[in-house]
Amino acid sequence: MYTLIYALCFYSSSLLIAIPFLRFFKYTDARFLSLLTISAISFALGFAFPFKISFYAVFAATIAVSLYTISSRDVRIESSEAIFALFFAFFIFLRFLNPYIQDAEKFMDSAFMNAVLKSSTFPPNDPFFAGGKLDFYYYFGHVISACITLMSLSPPEIGYNIAISAIPAYTAIIIYGIMREKGLKVAASGVTLSIFSGNAYSFIDFFRRILAGKAIDGGYYWNATRVISHTINEFPYFSFIHADLHAHVVAIPIFTLIISLILKASKDESIRTIHTLILALALSLFAVFATNSWDYPLAATACILAAVSLKRKGLIFAVVLSIPFVILLYSTMNTPAAKIELVGERTNAVEFLMYALTPLLLAYIFTGNRYTLYLLPISIPLYFISPVLALTIPLAISSAYGIYKKDVTSAIVLTGLLAFILPEFVAVESRMNTVFKFYIIAWLSLTIAPALKLDFNGFKRYVVVLLLVVSLVYPMAATPVRYSIREYTLDGMAFMKSLDGDYEAVKWLQGRDGVIIEEGCTQGALCGYKYGGRVAAFTGNPAVIAWTNHEYVWRRNYSAVAERAKDVRNFYSSSSCSEMLKIVKKYNISYIFFGYEERRIFLTDPKKIEDCFVKVFESRGTYIFATKNLS
């Protein structure tokens, strides 16, 4: 139970840092913009100073300004804070039930966040490839997560769960802020349809399973995001309960903030407001690139289309202002996997609608016009080029007309439609990942913008009710499946307590630096999704090699990855001190980890390692050896 104190600590500090921003931004935007600003400044300083020092300096200065602001003028917490508190409490409760940082890509995200926390200067060390840097991946999302961890004063395995609970809370309050002027009914419906909903496949699959007498199990929870062949099709609610602290998840509130700022530009006229808005928008554009680079072109497109619609050059200036910082960050990166290529594969129409029916129908009904109907016949021949093109072009053309008529929501809708269309023809890295990243942007754009025009009169009232019913089936059915465990803690490492003394050993290593050797996934492509690399994941200390399949994808250097995997296998299989010492020197290893995974994989006796190196830790069959005499 005590771990909930850290969640309360973050909640309080996150509320406090927002206070200086209330002078320039509406409450619902200031809530997240404050965290984004602190993270960005800490990130910039992190290239010259240790990250923790950078963060605490910025955080302390912000708190000082907040306290001065509180003492010098009246500061009020708005009622919209209840939305943040409600969503944060809900997702904290879920993580309190099942806090495990295990399965899928949680080890990777934990490793990257811990590498940021331990960074002396950026780029951080690659925790899965000793001697390498985390310059092949856009890790600003993990910087934000690290800031949340430090604000909560928690160990990283708890901070991870606080961060993944805060992301949907920030998203919800921004969306609520976008829609609250339209009334509580519209705001509640908009938040539900955009981030608390499932797709059409999950609705159909639920009743198909009920009628067939099949269980609503993990397959139901998972399959809703694999409806388009050979791709990943997540939607926000799945991403939030799946709880990978991945780039695309942290980018969700950033892109939502960009939508909010664009819409704000259509209302405010004062020079001071426009100037602060441009700066906030430029920061958000840079942040979305640094977090999940796939989203930047679409976010910039939304700004440009909105600028055309509103005739606001300031929005284009925000894009221009972000470009030098994007180029500067890109110059520090090494991304051999990020190649743009044409694709020949097309999405099946039925599969596409199983994912996109809800947002697409919402957009057609509430943002379409008579021109949309007139354009439907021309979409028929487009089907033979791409079914997705046929299903989206009528609304895309009428949205372009809406932009001409100064309807800024049309700019956001058109951006969402482009996010559906582009993966039919181009891919970055792979079609699978492009569909994955672009479709989340499409989902957000095509639910948030149309929700602003929700109409509860006439037949449209029944459309809204139908969409809400379809959408809510997945949260109601999948959430209990995902969170069937009852741990009652936020400790993401709790599952390790039954795996020899690994838990205690990793906690011991968290306060120490140095390269480690562990079984990090040297036995096949899918071992990276299991228990390999757990030491690097929870300490941030670089392993000789971990998650070999990912490292190969990132670095495109098979020989280097294979050589390290071979050396790790040879180390744990060898009985020769000289052979083991040779590997230790080759990678400048400080600590040798021998625990549950090493014993399971190599079936070896730790005594032979103890004969060659100094044992510095032992607990329940897990050992840590130092390569030097630490006395």
Side-chain angles (χ1 to χ4, degrees):
M1 291 290 290
Y2 78 93
T3 56
L4 292 175
I5 294 172
Y6 296 114
L8 290 172
C9 186
F10 163 73
Y11 178 79
S12 302
S13 59
S14 69
L15 190 59
L16 198 56
I17 63 170
I19 289 172
F21 293 80
L22 298 178
R23 184 178 178 184
F24 306 101
F25 302 97
K26 63 181 182 179
Y27 188 94
T28 53
D29 290 343
R31 207 60 176 82
F32 182 63
L33 192 54
S34 56
L35 173 66
L36 197 64
T37 302
I38 286 177
S39 300
I41 297 172
S42 302
F43 178 64
L45 292 174
F47 283 89
F49 306 100
F51 172 72
K52 285 185 178 180
I53 293 175
S54 301
F55 169 79
Y56 283 126
V58 177
F59 181 67
T62 307
I63 292 296
V65 174
S66 296
L67 294 175
Y68 173 77
T69 303
I70 292 170
S71 66
S72 61
R73 66 186 184 91
D74 185 29
V75 176
R76 293 183 180 179
I77 297 175
E78 291 188 5
S79 59
S80 54
E81 178 61 26
I83 302 299
F84 182 92
L86 180 65
F87 271 77
F88 183 60
F90 175 74
F91 284 98
I92 279 289
F93 172 69
L94 294 185
R95 298 309 295 166
F96 190 64
L97 295 178
N98 180 0
Y100 296 166
I101 304 173
Q102 187 187 28
D103 73 41
E105 300 200 321
K106 294 177 181 58
F107 271 17
M108 169 189 156
D109 294 315
S110 176
F112 286 4
M113 188 185 80
N114 275 295
V116 168
L117 288 167
K118 280 198 169 180
S119 174
S120 54
T121 55
F122 286 157
N125 292 323
D126 181 354
F128 291 160
F129 194 94
K133 291 292 184 180
L134 196 56
D135 56 1
F136 52 80
Y137 198 89
Y138 293 83
Y139 56 90
F140 184 70
H142 298 94
V143 171
I144 294 174
S145 304
C147 289
I148 291 173
T149 298
L150 294 176
M151 286 168 62
S152 69
L153 304 178
S154 68
E157 64 272 15
I158 294 175
Y160 178 106
N161 284 320
I162 294 172
I164 199 60
S165 302
I167 296 303
Y170 280 122
T171 308
I173 194 173
I174 295 169
I175 296 172
Y176 177 80
I178 291 171
M179 300 180 188
R180 64 180 174 181
E181 291 180 4
K182 303 292 183 179
L184 181 60
K185 190 185 295 186
V186 170
S189 299
V191 171
T192 301
L193 289 167
S194 55
I195 64 168
F196 208 82
S197 60
N199 56 21
Y201 177 90
S202 66
F203 177 80
I204 294 171
D205 190 37
F206 177 82
F207 287 102
R208 183 168 54 199
R209 286 170 176 264
I210 295 296
L211 294 174
K214 291 180 63 177
I216 306 299
D217 55 13
Y220 171 78
Y221 151 76
W222 180 260
N223 292 343
T225 64
R226 300 299 187 274
V227 298
I228 298 174
S229 301
H230 313 302
T231 67
I232 301 170
N233 330 119
E234 289 189 18
F235 42 89
Y237 188 76
F238 172 88
S239 301
F240 294 152
I241 64 170
H242 189 56
D244 280 1
L245 198 50
H246 225 43
H248 70 280
V249 181
V250 186
I252 289 173
I254 304 176
F255 186 80
T256 306
L257 177 64
I258 290 170
I259 292 176
S260 180
L261 294 173
I262 288 172
L263 293 172
K264 183 178 173 63
S266 67
K267 301 174 184 177
D268 289 306
E269 299 289 346
S270 70
I271 297 298
R272 191 182 78 168
T273 301
I274 292 299
H275 286 172
T276 55
L277 187 146
I278 289 170
L279 290 175
L281 197 51
L283 170 64
S284 301
L285 287 165
F286 167 76
V288 85
F289 175 82
T291 300
N292 193 41
S293 58
W294 276 271
D295 296 352
Y296 179 78
L298 292 168
T301 298
C303 291
I304 293 168
L305 292 175
V308 172
S309 176
L310 298 171
K311 293 183 170 50
R312 287 282 177 91
K313 295 179 182 179
L315 293 176
I316 295 179
F317 183 67
V319 176
V320 172
L321 189 60
S322 72
I323 291 174
F325 297 100
V326 166
I327 293 173
L328 183 62
L329 176 61
Y330 185 76
S331 69
T332 70
M333 306 297 291
N334 177 28
T335 55
K339 304 295 183 185
I340 299 176
E341 57 187 30
L342 298 177
V343 296
E345 188 177 355
R346 298 291 182 259
T347 301
N348 175 277
V350 174
E351 292 178 349
F352 176 69
L353 289 175
M354 287 298 96
Y355 176 85
L357 181 62
T358 301
L360 209 55
L361 186 60
L362 191 68
Y364 265 101
I365 296 296
F366 293 101
T367 66
N369 50 47
R370 66 179 185 275
Y371 299 105
T372 312
L373 295 175
Y374 299 156
L375 290 164
L376 287 176
I378 73 165
S379 67
I380 296 172
L382 293 176
Y383 184 89
F384 299 98
I385 300 173
S386 163
V388 171
L389 204 59
L391 290 165
T392 54
I393 278 297
L395 186 57
I397 295 174
S398 63
S399 295
Y401 179 73
I403 292 171
Y404 169 73
K405 298 296 286 183
K406 298 185 179 180
D407 177 13
V408 70
T409 58
S410 294
I412 299 166
V413 169
L414 184 54
T415 301
L417 295 170
L418 288 172
F420 276 146
I421 293 168
L422 287 173
E424 295 296 291
F425 304 100
V426 296
V428 182
E429 182 186 294
S430 67
R431 172 174 156 79
M432 179 190 74
N433 266 337
T434 306
V435 168
F436 177 19
K437 305 302 174 72
F438 277 33
Y439 273 32
I440 288 186
I441 296 301
W443 184 286
L444 290 168
S445 301
L446 296 176
T447 51
I448 293 174
L452 279 166
K453 297 187 175 184
L454 286 182
D455 186 350
F456 291 90
N457 297 312
F459 89 96
K460 290 186 177 180
R461 174 196 313 165
Y462 301 106
V463 174
V464 177
V465 172
L466 175 63
L467 290 174
L468 287 170
V469 169
V470 169
S471 298
L472 285 170
V473 166
Y474 184 83
M476 293 175 67
T479 308
V481 172
R482 177 61 178 162
Y483 289 92
S484 58
I485 295 173
R486 302 291 184 267
E487 278 291 341
Y488 302 117
T489 179
L490 291 177
D491 184 353
M493 285 171 46
F495 70 96
M496 295 175 65
K497 292 181 178 179
S498 63
L499 301 173
D500 296 347
D502 284 14
Y503 181 92
E504 294 84 0
V506 168
K507 292 296 291 181
W508 186 86
L509 267 177
Q510 281 180 339
R512 293 164 174 82
D513 295 318
V515 175
I516 58 171
I517 186 168
E518 63 167 320
E519 166 47 35
C521 178
T522 64
Q523 307 297 316
L526 295 180
C527 60
Y529 294 98
K530 296 180 182 177
Y531 196 47
R534 81 283 196 197
V535 183
F538 291 114
T539 66
N541 290 18
V544 172
I545 189 67
W547 282 41
T548 48
N549 54 322
H550 283 66
E551 283 291 346
Y552 169 67
V553 169
W554 294 327
R555 297 181 179 277
R556 293 293 196 261
N557 188 339
Y558 178 79
S559 59
V561 172
E563 180 183 358
R564 288 176 179 239
K566 182 180 178 181
D567 284 342
V568 171
R569 291 194 297 268
N570 289 343
F571 181 90
Y572 284 106
S573 303
S574 176
S575 297
S576 167
C577 288
S578 61
E579 286 298 314
M580 286 191 280
L581 188 59
K582 183 179 178 182
I583 294 170
V584 164
K585 289 181 177 179
K586 182 177 180 179
Y587 298 106
N588 193 30
I589 296 167
S590 297
Y591 295 103
I592 300 157
F593 198 95
F594 187 94
Y596 178 88
E597 193 73 348
E598 291 72 29
R599 180 178 288 104
R600 184 182 73 84
I601 295 292
F602 299 107
L603 303 174
T604 190
D605 188 345
K607 182 69 169 61
K608 65 180 185 179
I609 302 176
E610 189 173 355
D611 289 341
C612 306
F613 301 98
V614 180
K615 183 173 69 177
V616 292
F617 180 90
E618 178 181 356
S619 175
R620 297 188 293 127
T622 295
Y623 305 85
I624 299 174
F625 303 94
T627 59
K628 300 167 186 167
N629 190 332
L630 299 183
S631 61

